[in-house]
Amino acid sequence: MNLNALWEYANPKKFIATTDRVLPFVAWMAALLLVTGLVWGFFFTPDDYKQGATVKIIYLHVPAALMAINAWLMMLVTSLVWIVRRHHVSALAARAAAPVGMVMTLIALATGALWGQPMWGTWWAWDPRLTSFLVLFLFYLGYIALWEAIENDDTAADLTSILCLVGSVFALLSRYAVNFWNQGLHQGASLSLDKKENVADVFWYPLVVTIAGFVLLFVALVLMRTRTEIRARRMRALLARERMQA
Amino acid sequence: MIPDLGKYAVPVLASYGVSLLLIAGLVWASLRRSARIKRALEETESRRKSNG
């Protein structure tokens, strides 16, 4: 495979033409997997012997937390592409992904609190993973606000890319906080390449389906929002030209 | 038919309610903005064409 062919998609017209074909398929697959995974997990899995019915929250909490971190990492990659190659589509893709990542972080925080209250006896604790997730949420808010605050698109892309690099420390910290500090209430990873660390199969299979649904939902939303950002940028450019000619 | 969630019904149902509401809101907002910007761009482009 010729990796250089990937740069073709940095052309906004090519990007929109390709996503015209891909987006409906990704969106329908996301809906199908999400409905299947959530219905399977909610209606057709047993209660956990320790956590009772609260284990059903895993089908929302784990995929959302996973996407919250990975959305930021995707933004890191596209921001680096912007810094190095100055492709507008990559900067706009990072901008498009931020609200999706923010909502995923919010879902992870909310479901974590709702799960934590009956299991730990508290909605919130200044636990390493919880705290790093809260900081990640604040980084998302700051990143979105920075894009909105700066009128010049290139300057906004430069500054938000730098913010993204800084925030990546917290994105990684959110993922590995449990390993770094052997303290706090939050348990270790629910999914691992090591089968012994995974949740039981009866929970694991619907969880994997739901995670696939969340991943595709993220891809579909980012593709759609990137197309919107490309069009919005073109419109701003046209309006600016009109003003110059007037 | 909702499974018997026992004493954990409130946190489980609240988790699903909040999450699905947030996802639906995000999808709705993304679709709405996409349609609005697409329409506005088409209007701007056709205005420029008609103005030469």
Side-chain angles (χ1 to χ4, degrees), chain B residues 4-52:
Chain B
D4 179 20
L5 302 170
K7 60 181 177 176
Y8 300 125
V10 173
V12 173
L13 293 177
S15 293
Y16 277 76
V18 168
S19 304
L20 296 179
L21 208 66
L22 283 169
I23 290 171
L26 177 67
V27 171
W28 179 77
S30 303
L31 285 169
R32 190 164 170 264
R33 183 159 186 264
S34 168
R36 192 168 54 83
I37 296 285
K38 192 177 176 187
R39 198 171 49 242
L41 177 62
E42 280 166 3
E43 279 170 15
T44 310
E45 282 178 333
S46 64
R47 189 174 62 238
R48 279 181 63 84
K49 267 182 199 158
S50 63
N51 290 345

Side-chain angles (χ1 to χ4, degrees), chain A residues 87-127:
Chain A
H87 288 315
H88 288 108
V89 172
S90 62
L92 296 176
R95 182 181 190 174
V100 187
M102 188 195 71
V103 168
M104 293 296 163
T105 314
L106 197 55
I107 291 173
L109 285 169
T111 53
L114 285 161
W115 201 354
Q117 210 288 326
M119 291 300 105
W120 301 333
T122 180
W123 301 96
W124 180 263
W126 294 102
D127 163 285

Side-chain angles (χ1 to χ4, degrees), chain A residues 43 56 225 229 234 242, chain B residues 1 16 30 33 45 47:
Chain A
F43 290 98
K56 295 183 191 300
R225 296 178 66 91
E229 294 303 334
R234 173 156 172 77
E242 275 185 358
Chain B
M1 195 179 74
Y16 277 76
S30 303
R33 183 159 186 264
E45 282 178 333
R47 189 174 62 238

